[in-house]
Amino acid sequence: MQKNELLYEGKAKKLFTTEDPQLLIAEFKDDLTAFNAEKKGSESGKGALNCQISTNLFALLSENGVATHLVETIDDNHQLVKKVDIIPIEVVVRNVATGSLSKRLGIKDGTVLPFTLVEFYYKDDDLNDPLINDEHCLILDLVDDVKKLDILREKGRLINDVLKGFFAARRLNLVDFKVEFGVDQNGEILLSDEISPDSCRFWDMDTNEKLDKDRFRQNLGNVKVAYEEVLKRIKEDK
Ligand code: TMP
Ligand code: ASP
């Protein structure tokens, strides 16, 4: 399948149409951004790493009952995906307090949460992706039925259960992550976008080293080395 027109360019991916109106090609870019693109950078090979990482994790999730948009991985940094209407809600799932949660609520960085926290953020760069609740989602018409929000929460928790165990076996602590969902032509809610060190926090269980985009956000260096380490651990047989 060939790339046709550029349909959309985001901060980390480009989406192209194909000859099949129901299928798109996603191209993973080497660009890195943080703080709503206030900080910009690029890391050669990062797109290919995220493409491989996300391919592996989507396959794992699919085997564990999470429907995804991924059809097949075409090459190093391209995936063939189902065309969906993205629900403009960033579903953030947290096991450990850090990042914006610690900042907003004053919870000490690194505190293990008493239960898995699921949050919704409105996917709108102009508004800086604000935290929203169920009523905001309805007022903004982000979903047509409040029950869909429960489905998103359930899917977020299931993804967390699968990934947390998978990474723990590989000595990585899944601290938190962000996922996005889309609705396909049959009305099915599919896990979409990507799951990668751009959208997750991974802390090494033995050294506490951060192996994710916080290395870029916090100028810790060795961004690509960290992403390579995550891919290496994913590929470990357990
Ligand atoms: P936060 O602590 O900055 O709210 O981030 C929570 C998680 O969501 C973390 O794993 C990083 C991820 N994330 C994204 O993927 N995209 C974003 O735009 C933001 C703000 C966070
Ligand atoms: N993805 C967001 C941005 O590019 C924020 C982040 O991940 O920190 O700006």
Side-chain angles (χ1 to χ4, degrees), residues 56-74:
N56 280 280
L57 298 180
F58 273 46
L60 172 74
L61 289 166
S62 173
E63 284 162 21
N64 284 279
V66 181
T68 84
H69 74 160
L70 179 61
V71 177
E72 65 177 15
T73 299
I74 300 170

Side-chain angles (χ1 to χ4, degrees), residues 103-161:
K103 205 168 163 194
R104 188 180 325 110
L105 300 183
I107 305 173
K108 190 171 177 286
D109 197 295
T111 306
V112 177
L113 296 171
F115 53 85
T116 301
L117 173 64
V118 183
E119 298 174 325
F120 296 145
Y121 292 80
Y122 181 24
K123 190 173 152 64
D124 186 317
D125 283 343
D126 293 339
L127 298 174
N128 217 353
D129 297 350
L131 178 70
I132 47 176
N133 67 18
D134 287 27
E135 288 165 313
H136 295 130
C137 291
L138 291 177
I139 287 169
L140 290 168
D141 242 343
L142 308 186
V143 285
D144 50 17
D145 182 347
V146 73
K147 287 192 195 108
K148 296 235 170 91
L149 299 174
D150 288 329
I151 296 175
L152 297 184
R153 268 189 282 268
E154 265 169 43
K155 285 183 184 283
R157 290 206 175 93
L158 173 58
I159 292 167
N160 185 55
D161 289 344

Side-chain angles (χ1 to χ4, degrees), residues 198-215:
D198 272 9
S199 60
C200 300
R201 288 193 175 100
F202 300 111
W203 292 354
D204 186 296
M205 282 185 170
D206 300 310
T207 65
N208 246 0
E209 196 184 3
K210 294 175 202 261
L211 295 172
D212 56 64
K213 198 164 94 172
D214 271 349
R215 300 204 70 83

